[in-house]
Amino acid sequence: MDRFDKDISFLESVDRDPMLYQKHPTVSTLAELHQTKCGSLPCQPGIYRVLVPEKLPVSFMESPENSRAKGYPAAILEQKYAQCTDKTVLYIGKANGRGGLRQRVLQYVKYGWGTAANHKGGRAIWQVKDYPLLLLEYEVCENCEQKEHELLADYKKENGTYPLANWRG
């Protein structure tokens, strides 16, 4: 069974608002985005964040299941994650290309599932043991480069480091 087919019933047991998707249509699991080819995302510029669902334990695989991806040593990821006081945000990215959020997030998801090689940024996400269950939240904005820079700077100021899958701001 590949990671996409993994039972995602864990999400049903997570202690969160059962109406999350009706109230927040800008949030999906990575597995849902892979399955739908990001069809619900807009073709506008914006920023996106990969988040840990409440109560999902985070552990790391020594290498990503995507054989094309170069991984980080799991011990380095564990150390970086342990340094963050905010363990909810794992990655902050921007989508400023012609296809906007839909195109960029689709590249990201395809990279994670091993069907594309054009989104190496944020690749530590694919070493999280239960990455299909991680959430992706997006926000449409025109000046996404500036917004991403501000979000990363704020995160680093509050946590002393960048989010797990961001290595620079």
Side-chain angles (χ1 to χ4, degrees):
M1 174 185 318
D2 75 17
R3 295 299 279 187
F4 174 68
D5 295 327
K6 181 178 172 65
D7 177 17
I8 61 171
S9 61
F10 176 83
L11 284 177
E12 295 168 7
S13 68
V14 174
D15 188 17
R16 61 188 175 106
D17 185 346
M19 305 298 283
L20 175 67
Y21 295 106
Q22 290 177 348
K23 290 182 179 179
H24 302 286
T26 62
V27 177
S28 300
T29 66
L30 293 179
E32 290 167 336
L33 291 167
H34 180 261
Q35 182 179 23
T36 64
K37 296 181 171 71
C38 300
S40 63
L41 274 63
C43 296
Q44 297 168 284
I47 53 114
Y48 58 98
R49 298 171 199 85
V50 177
L51 309 169
V52 178
E54 191 175 338
K55 295 188 181 180
L56 178 70
V58 174
S59 59
F60 302 98
M61 298 180 284
E62 193 57 47
S63 62
E65 292 178 342
N66 172 357
S67 60
R68 293 179 177 182
K70 181 180 178 190
Y72 299 98
I76 297 293
L77 296 177
E78 289 167 6
Q79 180 182 18
K80 185 173 183 192
Y81 187 64
Q83 291 174 350
C84 298
T85 53
D86 177 355
K87 297 192 181 332
T88 304
V89 178
L90 297 180
Y91 181 62
I92 298 170
K94 68 179 176 305
N96 58 353
R98 191 173 45 193
L101 284 156
R102 183 178 302 165
Q103 178 185 24
R104 189 62 175 156
V105 173
L106 182 58
Q107 290 172 343
Y108 186 60
V109 170
K110 286 174 125 183
Y111 180 82
W113 263 265
T115 58
N118 57 349
H119 195 305
K120 292 182 175 130
R123 69 182 182 264
I125 291 301
W126 312 113
Q127 285 180 253
V128 174
K129 183 179 176 197
D130 292 314
Y131 68 83
L133 303 176
L134 297 176
L135 301 173
L136 185 131
E137 169 188 61
Y138 71 87
E139 175 185 336
V140 172
C141 61
E142 287 304 316
N143 194 355
C144 54
E145 289 179 10
Q146 180 63 32
K147 178 82 171 182
E148 178 198 40
H149 178 73
E150 290 169 3
L151 290 170
L152 287 169
D154 289 347
Y155 188 95
K156 186 173 184 182
K157 183 178 179 181
E158 293 172 16
N159 291 274
T161 186
Y162 292 114
L164 172 74
N166 291 97
W167 295 89
R168 62 180 186 260

